[in-house]
Amino acid sequence: MTPKLLERIKLKNDMSLAMEVQRNLLPEHPPRIPGLDIAAVCQFCDETGGDYYDFLSFSRESGETFDLILGDVTGHGISAALFMATGRALLHARTEDDPDLARCLTMVNRLLCRDTQLTGRFITLFFLSMRLDTGELSWVRAGHDPTLIYDPATDAFDELAGPGIPLGVEESWEYQANHKSGITPGQLLVLGTDGIWEAMNPAGEMYGKERFKEVLRQNAHRTAQEVVDAVVAAVMAFVSPGRPEDDLTLVIVKSLR
């Protein structure tokens, strides 16, 4: 029994270290940008997971930007965490060399495909950029669910959609950037992973996007952090007394100007 116990202790220590390393890869706190209220959460269903979000900023010729990345690796656990760490490293390296969204993801996809085509794993990802001078939005969608824009003044939801397949699937794919005018005061930008709307309750019922949207409606007047907390609380109450079977990540950006 002693060798097995020692092996179990070593495995637990290794998992704790992996969890600490992955947590350190996530932003310590959202950026503080005048006119924007930003909040985020990332909850893993295991010690480690495949969800990822990041905040970047660039000084382009067109003006300084606030850039947001949200991704989701197939599966969860340590293997998904390692794959996501690889994708994160490639994204950071490529954005340092070329901040153009479409070219960046095109190159990251090519590099990922060379290493992972035989594994069957891939990353869905949404890369969103906001110009701070005009508020204009640009984005590239790599197989991820569209970002939502909620306007409480009209109770209307809009989607930032567009073409694009997950990263790591087809090496020759060329990604395209999409553009839209910025959000207005009170509107919410909502980026999430499917661990929210695909959460299951004990009866096997899916949480769904309509429940998700209703929580956004009821809390849109509150701060971004309060909206995030409300969504997490609603999902956890829905799956109770069980626990989520997938990672859950949510980023809320609320316009104050």
Side-chain angles (χ1 to χ4, degrees), residues 52-60 65-72 87-109 123-131 136-148 160-167 175-180 189-193 251 253:
Y52 161 66
Y53 74 93
D54 212 344
F55 302 109
L56 306 172
S57 61
F58 301 108
S59 293
R60 299 188 175 97
T65 64
F66 158 59
D67 300 270
L68 200 167
I69 299 173
L70 186 140
D72 184 2
R88 178 188 182 276
L90 291 173
L91 279 165
H92 275 248
R94 291 307 308 175
T95 51
E96 287 291 330
D97 294 336
D98 185 358
D100 181 272
L101 276 64
R103 288 199 303 263
C104 172
L105 286 195
T106 296
M107 182 54 67
V108 168
N109 176 62
I123 304 174
T124 67
L125 187 133
F126 202 99
F127 194 159
L128 176 69
S129 177
M130 176 188 293
R131 280 184 54 169
E136 180 186 2
L137 301 175
S138 300
W139 70 93
V140 177
R141 180 173 170 242
H144 200 79
D145 281 84
T147 286
L148 296 176
L160 302 184
I165 63 175
L167 301 173
Y175 289 89
Q176 301 175 15
N178 307 273
H179 307 279
K180 179 181 174 63
L189 271 173
V190 184
L191 293 84
T193 57
V251 180
V253 180

